[in-house]
Amino acid sequence: MIKIEIENKLKSACPKLQLGYIQCKVNTHENCPELWVEIEKNILTKEKDLNIEKIWAIPTIESSKKGYRSVGKDPSRYRLSAEALLRRVVKGKGLYKINNVVDLLNLVSIESGFSIGGYNADKIDGNIKFGIGKTEEEYYGIGRGKLNIEYLPVFRDSMGAFGSPTSDSMRTSINSECTNFLMLIISFQNDDDNKLSEAMQFAQKLLLQYANASNIETKIIQ
């Protein structure tokens, strides 16, 4: 299990911040028709029940946007990944089809409203710290090119920043060669209603069912 620490400056700005940690061995592959049946059912429900205004009112989205403002980042300019996915869904654009591990992560995100980091754990060097992006700090985000991460909540290892609730980096991305998977569910709210725990349970169910997950390790980091 990789050691993760939430840095004091970020914790002070977002005192309710928690991370749902799941690490496991997976079988990553491009096509998973059974998973997409479940994803498409969820998408149809979201298209029927949600609109843009209702997305803003989802507690997990709302609290995450407040978290961004607390650290000095505009959540309307640097959208949370969960909000971006839900906006695609309600506009009828569906979700990208990447591979079974990324796709099930996106399903957990649109179902829970949490932004989620997904990483090839073998590409992470050393322990992880979750802190605030520094001036002129950047990385190449997946599908976004060079991303300015100043004032974003960011994950760093010994090689530098590699993930945020807006977009993860190419360096630690999930491809078909990934066998050691790390999922970090990012919560900026109290878990009085067990939303984080529920999202973690749902993620584990999908990982077992659609990625042949094994050696699963979980914890909630505060």
Side-chain angles (χ1 to χ4, degrees):
M1 181 173 278
I2 300 171
K3 182 180 178 181
I4 300 182
E5 173 190 350
I6 301 175
E7 294 183 344
N8 290 334
K9 188 175 180 180
L10 177 56
K11 190 66 175 178
S12 295
C14 305
K16 300 175 182 178
L17 179 63
Q18 298 183 94
L19 299 172
Y21 176 111
I22 302 173
Q23 186 175 356
C24 58
K25 297 294 184 180
V26 291
N27 180 1
T28 305
H29 47 87
E30 289 187 4
N31 297 315
C32 189
E34 299 86 358
L35 171 59
W36 271 91
V37 169
E38 188 164 350
I39 290 173
E40 287 170 353
K41 286 180 181 178
N42 189 288
I43 286 174
L44 287 174
T45 300
K46 294 289 186 292
E47 287 179 342
K48 179 181 177 182
D49 295 344
L50 288 179
N51 55 39
I52 298 298
E53 290 74 22
K54 288 182 178 179
I55 292 173
W56 295 338
I58 295 171
T60 47
I61 299 287
E62 186 177 18
S63 63
S64 298
K65 289 164 82 77
K66 288 179 180 177
Y68 265 37
R69 295 188 188 99
S70 296
V71 296
K73 205 69 169 180
D74 182 356
S76 62
R77 185 176 178 188
Y78 293 86
R79 291 195 196 282
L80 294 142
S81 59
E83 181 186 4
L85 290 172
L86 284 167
R87 288 172 69 93
R88 280 189 59 86
V89 167
V90 300
K91 290 179 180 179
K93 296 181 178 180
L95 295 179
Y96 300 105
K97 187 177 287 188
I98 309 297
N99 57 55
N100 60 324
V101 175
V102 175
D103 297 345
L104 70 85
L105 181 155
N106 288 339
L107 175 55
V108 177
S109 188
I110 64 169
E111 178 63 23
S112 66
F114 288 119
S115 294
I116 304 173
Y119 311 105
N120 183 336
D122 290 330
K123 296 180 181 180
I124 294 172
D125 189 25
N127 297 329
I128 298 171
K129 291 188 176 182
F130 193 32
I132 299 174
K134 301 174 184 177
T135 302
E136 298 183 357
E137 191 174 16
E138 59 189 16
Y139 59 65
Y140 284 91
I142 300 170
R144 296 180 65 101
K146 194 174 289 187
L147 180 67
N148 173 15
I149 59 174
E150 181 180 10
Y151 298 128
L152 276 178
V154 295
F155 295 105
R156 298 184 184 92
D157 63 5
S158 65
M159 297 176 65
F162 64 86
S164 76
T166 288
S167 177
D168 291 324
S169 75
M170 291 297 299
R171 172 166 69 89
T172 54
S173 61
I174 306 296
N175 58 26
S176 60
E177 298 176 357
C178 176
T179 59
N180 188 7
F181 176 58
L182 174 63
M183 178 186 286
L184 296 173
I185 304 174
I186 305 159
S187 172
F188 289 89
Q189 64 183 40
N190 287 331
D191 200 25
D192 296 335
D193 54 3
N194 294 316
K195 290 296 184 183
L196 180 56
S197 299
E198 290 176 4
M200 292 177 69
Q201 291 171 10
F202 184 44
Q204 290 176 75
K205 170 184 171 291
L206 295 177
L207 285 163
L208 286 166
Q209 188 169 358
Y210 299 116
N212 298 319
S214 61
N215 301 334
I216 300 174
E217 298 180 295
T218 68
K219 63 179 176 180
I220 292 178
I221 299 165
Q222 298 179 332

